[in-house]
Amino acid sequence: MKKFWKTANFRLKAGLISTCFFLIIGFVVYFIPHTNPFTYNTYPNNLGVSAEHWLGTTSMGQDIVWLLIEAIHNSLMIGLIVATIGTVVGVLVGLLAGFAGGALDRVLMIITDTFVVIPSLPILIMMTSLMKGSSTVIIMALVLALFAWAWPSRQIRSMALTIKERDFIHTARFSGESTLQIVVTEILPFALSWSLSNFMNATLSAIGSESSLAVLGLSPGNLVSLGNMIQWARGYNAVLAKRWLWIGSPIVATVILFVGLFMLITGYNDYQAKKRGR
């Protein structure tokens, strides 16, 4: 760990610290017993900053700090679920298509290309509109994951095509290993570094997609997320009422989270490039 911290670049360190900070808020602080922040009129409306309410309360009597913590938790959950599904499915489909070739490759690439060229925004708008008021974090993540695997699949297929002609792959094939065995034990380790980078990028994209839908008023109304928190503040005229902490806290949190993840991705890629160049 000490060696890693010494060799890591500034962006990787800053991104790692920022991301860990949000993970602690979303998955440690979140589980501290507290009143459900989504419930209206739990506290007096429009309270200012105090020892009890660090960011005050909303015009619906919700504690802004706990509403923000709930939003960070749900946004991170959506991002991580989408990234996991997109990366795992994309890597497996891409490796199988690239290594197997023939009819299986053509079928998988037809399906992949279909999802690549389909405009995702209209479908996401339609699906989220149908789910309005009745969705969960899992369902929202599954909807976004529907389009998260196609590009990774195409990219990893190119990697598989270059690896499958190497000598150690021929040796594994002649030793009697199945296609799936070769993909998992021989080729997958080469894709792990790329997969981690894609995982972080997919997390960022998923959170951004959900936040964009929410700000447009198209995210399920019962889902507490960073985007929905901004939308609710707009809808209840937080700007006109000068309730800056209400609308400002999710905006600032979103910006810091995005910058942190971006620095983590770019810093990690530079770190790996320098590591390979040694």
Side-chain angles (χ1 to χ4, degrees):
M1 186 64 183
K2 288 183 179 179
K3 184 180 179 181
F4 165 77
W5 199 252
K6 285 181 180 179
T7 56
N9 54 63
F10 172 76
R11 279 179 298 169
L12 179 55
K13 291 177 181 178
L16 196 58
I17 291 171
S18 174
T19 304
C20 286
F21 173 74
F22 279 96
L23 289 173
I24 290 170
I25 290 177
F27 297 103
V28 178
V29 178
Y30 170 80
F31 289 103
I32 295 174
H34 60 277
T35 304
N36 184 2
F38 189 66
T39 306
Y40 293 170
N41 300 317
T42 304
Y43 305 100
N45 299 346
N46 297 322
L47 291 179
V49 177
S50 65
E52 186 180 357
H53 306 287
W54 293 357
L55 296 176
T57 62
T58 70
S59 62
M60 291 94 72
Q62 301 160 304
D63 185 276
I64 295 175
V65 166
W66 283 109
L67 197 64
L68 181 63
I69 291 170
E70 178 97 11
I72 290 171
H73 170 80
N74 288 338
S75 291
L76 284 174
M77 279 290 292
I78 290 171
L80 293 173
I81 292 171
V82 172
T84 300
I85 294 173
T87 302
V88 171
V89 174
V91 167
L92 288 179
V93 170
L95 288 178
L96 282 173
F99 182 78
L104 180 61
D105 181 24
R106 288 192 293 273
V107 171
L108 289 176
M109 283 303 100
I110 288 172
I111 297 171
T112 300
D113 290 341
T114 302
F115 277 90
V116 168
V117 299
I118 287 176
S120 60
L121 184 60
I123 294 176
L124 288 174
I125 290 173
M126 180 190 70
M127 294 182 74
T128 52
S129 297
L130 291 173
M131 295 186 305
K132 216 169 183 68
S134 61
S135 182
T136 64
V137 170
I138 302 295
I139 294 174
M140 189 67 191
L142 291 176
V143 170
L144 293 172
L146 192 63
F147 298 94
W149 63 273
W151 270 116
S153 176
R154 266 229 155 269
Q155 292 172 320
I156 208 72
R157 174 179 176 270
S158 301
M159 184 185 297
L161 288 173
T162 62
I163 295 174
K164 77 176 201 175
E165 297 302 328
R166 296 187 183 180
D167 291 338
F168 69 92
I169 298 297
H170 293 301
T171 301
R173 185 184 290 117
F174 291 138
S175 67
E177 290 188 16
S178 66
T179 298
L180 187 59
Q181 275 184 298
I182 295 173
V183 167
V184 173
T185 61
E186 304 293 343
I187 300 180
L188 186 57
F190 285 89
L192 288 179
S193 178
W194 176 91
S195 299
L196 181 58
S197 179
N198 179 78
F199 180 88
M200 293 184 288
N201 187 55
T203 303
L204 180 63
S205 299
I207 295 172
S209 297
E210 192 283 325
S211 296
S212 300
L213 289 169
V215 171
L216 292 172
L218 297 169
S219 184
N222 64 326
L223 179 65
V224 183
S225 66
L226 289 170
N228 263 340
M229 192 173 172
I230 297 170
Q231 170 61 15
W232 295 336
R234 286 177 58 242
Y236 284 92
N237 297 317
V239 175
L240 294 178
K242 297 183 180 180
R243 304 289 299 157
W244 305 118
L245 291 176
W246 182 9
I247 193 168
S249 56
I251 292 175
V252 171
T254 303
V255 170
I256 295 174
L257 177 59
F258 273 48
V259 170
L261 282 170
F262 177 76
M263 293 179 73
L264 182 61
I265 295 165
T266 55
Y268 175 77
N269 288 338
D270 286 351
Y271 173 78
Q272 287 296 114
K274 288 181 180 178
K275 196 174 178 181
R276 285 191 296 267
R278 288 174 188 167

